[in-house]
Amino acid sequence: MQGDTREVDQTVADMMPGEDEIQQRLHYLELTADDVALLRHIHPLLQPRLPAVIAAFYRHLLEIPVLQALLSDPVVLDRLHHLQGAYFQTLTAGEYGSDYVRHRLRVGLAHQRIGLEPVWYIGAYRKYLGDLAPVLHDILRDRPAQFLSTYNALMKVVSFDMGLALDTYIQAGRQQLRASEARFRAAFGQAAVGLAQVTADGRWLRVNRKLLDILGYDEDEMLAMRVPDLISPEDWQIDAPLLQALANGDLQTSAREKRYRCKDGRLVWVKATVTAMQPGTLVAVLEDISQRKQFEEELMHLARHDALTGLANRTLLLDRVSQAIAQARRSGALVAMLFLDLDRFKTINDSLGHDAGDRVVIEVGRRLKQSVRDADTVARLGGDEFVVLLADLPHELVAAALAQKILCALFEPMLIQGHELAPACSIGISLYPRDGADGKTLLKNADAAMYQAKALGRGNYQFYCEEMNARTLDRLTLESGLRHAVERGELQLMYQPQIDLASGKVIGAEALLRWQPNGQRLVMPDAFIAIAEETGLIVSIGEWVLRTACAQQVAWHRAGLADVRVAVNLSARQFRQHGLDAMVARVLADTGCPASYLELEITETVLMERPDSAAQTLQRLSDMGVQLAIDDFGTGYSSLSYLKRFPIHALKIDRSFVCDIPADTDDAAIAGAVIALAHSMGLTVVAEGVETVQQRDFLRELRCDLAQGYYFSEPISATSLANKFIHGEIQK
């Protein structure tokens, strides 16, 4: 409150007119000494009547809603009452010098500060004059001739007061304007964004410090230039009509992002927002958005590029394909898409770790970039899958040549963590317009061609053909059905007897998996085992096979076939599975099958992938009492030193060495060598694929221990095998 009083006193002092000006105003209003004398005469007569006049005045004010809100504060109302009382005491006192003026200015400032607008203030003076007229008439009823001259004198003083009141509003407005201008200047100069005043034709009228900092010019240099000097001609073609529309009032505001050229030649991104301030003058706010633009570009790069290699990702690839196809439609050229998948990349990850795998992927990406033209696109879809997009090709031979070039580039060894690696790849190629009219179709067909390249031995390229999609669809159908085969009870086991060649007796049976989808033809293992391996379904299917076979062995034992051993094949994925021995032990315990009546068959190739690890797994199984056999012996690359370390019990001669004996002397010699080797190591030998009596007799002569094949029996159901065993139908 004390601060407000000092501020009012200072404002009054600033506004206070000099004595000469006061007299000049009174003279202009024609306030004479006679007028002053008339007012002094009625002054004592008027005082007793003033309380009623003031009360009526406030009743009138409180009838107006706007004024009622202003006067709702009792403290404010009390102050105004006090001021009004003091005013009426001095109104007719006849002293209109400096003290009177000072008091009137204070009253005016008080009204202005509570928010009383001039229209209500002027109206209040009208109320004074209106309410005082009948009071004066009554006071001067015995001297009616003096009424008009006295009332006229009163009007002159009130007019003097009204002028002073208006001065307070004008002065307050000027002070607010000066304060606003000061704030504007401070804000303009110290703003955190660039500010400028410009004309409709792009001339700079005023610029702040921040804008100068952004662009690197000093103020004189800026004011000597125009907007088109700092932006591109293309941007000025857009901005010029916008500025004119703003100046004409046809547009309220305009906001655009563009690049300004700095003094040092750099281009800086700004967001320019322009608004009309007054006719012909515009205010521009220029915000430096370079960092935001950089972040946006980085985010856009991340959204369209592979994080590991920096190559294009699927999104950017498909965008580039669309552009290439649009161009090819106009030119009649070809577009080629090469889908690459690294061969046996999983082995690198599993053996050397994912860090080594990442390094291989990065190096492959680098080599691919070096192999293609600058206009071509190399993309990584994820994992070990890459795509090369070739646009504007005259014929498909160019795609074939590049595919061969890529194969050669990746065949060159790379040194990764001290290891020399040569990750070959398989490549599928699709062509626009022959193999698809859009990017997704070309990608799908190139993928199908890549799988064909893998099926044909890996490390080659194949062009897409229509039959590939049919095969792919069949594969997807098989995979989908296989996922539910176990729960639907569609899997079944057939058993092929194993015969002791010396006695002709059945001593065991190999469990062979079949799949009978509901309402469809029987599916043989060679059609679905590879799919089960790739998808991981082989793990659950393999456990089902093992559990079912062991349960069947127990059933046979209870039926009187006491010496029948059941043989079950282990897939590569099963054998590598952690906890294989624990799973086998659990199955044996759950079914009650003795470990010695279970034989597990593992192919030679699987064992030699990781011979040290394989030896440990085999030892754990052997320690449980499970019989172990190497299946398809002779088709892999076994080391005799490893073979000696494996705790195996039997070797199975692959059917490829049996089918042509004894006529083929080479196969006969191989079969004899395998049998001799096995016997020298104390192993049992089983010959697969025996189909003729000549083959049986020849194997007997070589002292082969066991045999199985269609000569003895095709794979049959467990019930059929039991019946034939009981009736001795299998012995030959």
Side-chain angles (χ1 to χ4, degrees):
M1 181 70 71
Q2 195 171 15
D4 290 346
T5 301
R6 285 197 299 269
E7 186 177 348
V8 169
D9 290 342
Q10 183 61 49
T11 304
V12 169
D14 293 340
M15 294 178 59
M16 189 68 189
E19 188 63 33
D20 291 343
E21 184 180 346
I22 293 173
Q23 293 305 316
Q24 185 178 353
R25 289 190 181 192
L26 292 174
H27 176 71
Y28 177 73
L29 293 170
E30 299 180 331
L31 185 66
T32 65
D34 291 340
D35 292 328
V36 173
L38 288 172
L39 293 174
R40 284 176 176 167
H41 174 72
I42 66 165
H43 181 71
L45 303 174
L46 190 61
Q47 296 308 305
R49 310 286 288 272
L50 287 179
V53 173
I54 295 173
F57 173 71
Y58 274 98
R59 283 196 301 273
H60 173 68
L61 293 183
L62 294 174
E63 290 175 358
I64 310 301
V66 175
L67 301 179
Q68 190 177 34
L70 290 175
L71 301 175
S72 60
D73 187 344
V75 176
V76 172
L77 188 61
D78 182 67
R79 289 178 61 192
L80 290 179
H81 264 293
H82 176 73
L83 290 171
Q84 289 301 131
Y87 171 60
F88 280 112
Q89 286 180 358
T90 58
L91 180 61
T92 56
E95 297 294 335
Y96 306 112
S98 299
D99 290 341
Y100 182 85
V101 170
R102 187 175 292 106
H103 181 266
R104 294 312 303 143
L105 292 176
R106 290 184 65 86
V107 172
L109 287 172
H111 286 94
Q112 188 269 333
R113 289 197 165 213
I114 67 168
L116 186 67
E117 295 181 6
V119 62
W120 306 114
Y121 202 179
I122 300 303
Y125 284 109
R126 197 282 316 160
K127 181 66 174 173
Y128 296 159
L129 293 172
D131 288 354
L132 286 174
V135 174
L136 284 177
H137 189 271
D138 185 56
I139 291 174
L140 298 172
R141 62 181 176 277
D142 55 342
R143 287 163 288 173
Q146 292 184 10
F147 171 73
L148 286 178
S149 57
T150 303
Y151 192 69
N152 187 37
L154 181 62
M155 287 183 62
K156 293 177 183 179
V157 175
V158 169
S159 297
F160 179 63
D161 293 347
M162 289 173 62
L164 294 172
L166 290 175
D167 283 349
T168 62
Y169 280 89
I170 293 171
Q171 180 64 18
R174 287 173 178 169
Q175 286 185 335
Q176 290 175 354
L177 181 59
R178 284 194 294 270
S180 176
E181 288 178 345
R183 288 194 297 271
F184 173 76
R185 284 193 296 271
F188 189 88
Q190 302 300 322
V193 294
L195 296 175
Q197 288 179 281
V198 294
T199 61
D201 62 354
R203 285 184 296 109
W204 302 100
L205 300 178
R206 186 177 184 181
V207 293
N208 74 341
R209 180 73 260 165
K210 183 62 177 179
L211 182 56
L212 298 176
D213 292 341
I214 292 173
L215 300 179
Y217 295 97
D218 61 37
E219 187 171 8
D220 291 338
E221 290 172 330
M222 280 289 293
L223 297 182
M225 291 189 292
R226 297 171 61 241
V227 173
D229 297 328
L230 300 174
I231 62 177
S232 69
E234 294 77 15
D235 278 328
W236 178 242
Q237 286 183 348
I238 299 172
D239 284 350
L242 290 177
L243 295 181
Q244 195 60 55
L246 287 166
N248 295 340
D250 300 330
L251 193 64
Q252 291 184 342
T253 187
S254 169
R256 290 189 64 231
E257 294 181 357
K258 63 192 122 181
R259 291 185 295 178
Y260 270 70
R261 186 173 300 281
C262 299
K263 185 176 181 178
D264 60 8
R266 289 181 302 108
L267 292 175
V268 59
W269 275 101
V270 301
K271 179 181 180 181
T273 304
V274 186
T275 306
M277 185 176 71
Q278 59 188 36
T281 303
L282 309 173
V283 174
V285 179
L286 291 92
E287 180 185 1
D288 185 352
I289 58 171
S290 301
Q291 191 174 49
R292 193 196 83 195
K293 282 291 184 180
Q294 182 181 348
F295 290 156
E296 288 176 357
E297 289 176 5
E298 291 175 357
L299 288 174
M300 182 64 71
H301 183 85
L302 289 174
R304 297 166 68 86
H305 291 79
D306 175 57
L308 179 62
T309 62
L311 300 175
N313 63 8
R314 183 187 182 92
T315 302
L316 181 55
L317 172 68
L318 292 177
D319 182 59
R320 297 268 179 87
V321 174
S322 299
Q323 296 176 28
I325 289 176
Q327 175 65 27
R329 286 198 188 102
R330 294 190 292 269
S331 65
L334 300 178
V335 176
M337 187 175 286
L338 281 62
F339 196 113
L340 293 77
D341 185 88
L342 300 184
D343 296 331
R344 300 181 180 86
F345 179 70
K346 187 177 184 301
T347 303
I348 296 174
N349 269 338
D350 291 345
S351 58
L352 301 180
H354 288 279
D355 183 58
D358 288 347
R359 291 175 182 271
V360 169
V361 167
I362 292 170
E363 176 61 17
V364 168
R366 188 187 67 80
R367 294 189 183 188
L368 290 177
K369 289 288 288 182
Q370 289 181 337
S371 300
V372 302
R373 304 168 299 179
D374 291 339
D376 299 329
T377 298
V378 178
R380 179 184 179 226
L381 301 189
D384 59 343
E385 294 180 337
F386 296 84
V387 172
V388 176
L389 173 66
L390 307 176
D392 195 27
L393 297 184
H395 47 74
E396 65 183 54
L397 293 179
V398 177
L402 180 64
Q404 187 59 50
K405 181 180 179 182
I406 289 173
L407 290 173
C408 293
L410 296 187
F411 189 73
E412 290 294 322
M414 58 181 71
L415 192 63
I416 304 294
Q417 294 183 352
H419 299 273
E420 194 175 79
L421 306 175
C425 70
S426 300
I427 304 176
I429 306 173
S430 62
L431 296 171
Y432 168 86
R434 186 185 72 190
D435 302 327
D438 58 78
K440 291 184 178 179
T441 303
L442 290 175
L443 189 63
K444 174 174 71 73
N445 291 340
D447 189 16
M450 182 273 295
Y451 275 106
Q452 178 68 10
K454 283 189 176 293
L456 294 175
R458 306 174 187 268
N460 66 90
Y461 65 86
Q462 295 293 319
F463 280 90
Y464 171 77
C465 61
E466 196 65 41
E467 294 78 11
M468 292 178 182
N469 265 344
R471 289 196 295 270
T472 301
L473 183 59
D474 289 343
R475 185 184 186 281
L476 290 175
T477 303
L478 280 175
E479 180 182 332
S480 177
L482 193 58
R483 290 186 182 278
H484 305 285
V486 174
E487 60 190 60
R488 291 173 180 167
E490 296 176 349
L491 297 180
Q492 55 187 244
L493 290 184
M494 307 295 279
Y495 298 90
Q496 188 170 46
Q498 293 179 336
I499 309 299
D500 185 329
L501 288 176
S503 65
K505 294 182 178 180
V506 176
I507 65 163
E510 181 178 2
L512 300 171
L513 182 62
R514 300 290 185 266
W515 176 21
Q516 181 66 69
N518 292 331
Q520 300 180 39
R521 61 182 177 81
L522 186 70
V523 183
M524 301 302 285
D526 57 356
F528 67 85
I529 289 297
I531 297 174
E533 278 273 342
E534 291 178 17
T535 59
L537 293 172
I538 195 66
V539 175
S540 57
I541 291 175
E543 183 172 347
W544 178 88
V545 169
L546 182 64
R547 187 174 295 276
T548 303
C550 288
Q552 186 59 59
Q553 195 283 330
V554 173
W556 281 332
H557 176 74
R558 291 172 179 168
L561 282 69
D563 297 330
V564 177
R565 182 170 60 241
V566 64
V568 176
N569 289 281
L570 287 181
S571 72
R573 191 156 187 164
Q574 275 182 290
F575 188 72
R576 290 193 296 264
Q577 181 190 6
H578 178 71
L580 170 65
D581 53 332
M583 186 271 287
V584 172
R586 184 173 63 251
V587 169
L588 292 174
D590 292 345
T591 60
C593 177
S596 59
Y597 284 96
L598 170 64
E599 181 179 81
L600 296 178
E601 298 182 0
I602 308 99
T603 65
E604 181 183 12
T605 303
V606 171
L607 290 177
M608 294 310 298
E609 282 182 357
R610 299 177 185 174
D612 292 329
S613 175
Q616 296 175 10
T617 302
L618 292 175
Q619 189 61 57
R620 289 193 295 270
L621 292 170
S622 179
D623 291 344
M624 293 164 52
V626 174
Q627 301 295 296
L628 301 171
I630 296 182
D631 197 12
D632 300 337
F633 187 77
T635 60
Y637 301 95
S638 296
S639 164
L640 292 179
S641 63
Y642 277 112
L643 191 61
K644 181 177 64 176
R645 290 170 50 192
F646 292 151
I648 57 175
H649 305 90
L651 293 181
K652 298 190 72 174
I653 303 176
D654 186 69
R655 66 181 64 250
S656 63
F657 300 119
V658 174
C659 62
D660 291 329
I661 60 172
D664 189 309
T665 57
D666 290 336
D667 285 346
I670 291 173
V674 171
I675 294 170
L677 172 66
H679 286 167
S680 69
M681 299 177 67
L683 303 178
T684 300
V685 182
V686 183
E688 295 182 296
V690 177
E691 298 181 355
T692 66
V693 65
Q694 291 85 2
Q695 292 169 350
R696 182 202 65 180
D697 292 343
F698 182 76
L699 290 169
R700 274 180 178 169
E701 291 176 9
L702 295 177
R703 297 177 57 201
C704 181
D705 301 295
L706 307 175
Q708 65 183 83
Y710 276 70
Y711 172 73
F712 302 103
S713 172
E714 63 181 356
I716 55 179
S717 68
T719 302
S720 297
L721 178 61
N723 291 334
K724 288 189 176 186
F725 185 91
I726 293 171
H727 295 97
E729 297 177 11
I730 298 178
Q731 297 183 21
K732 289 188 178 181

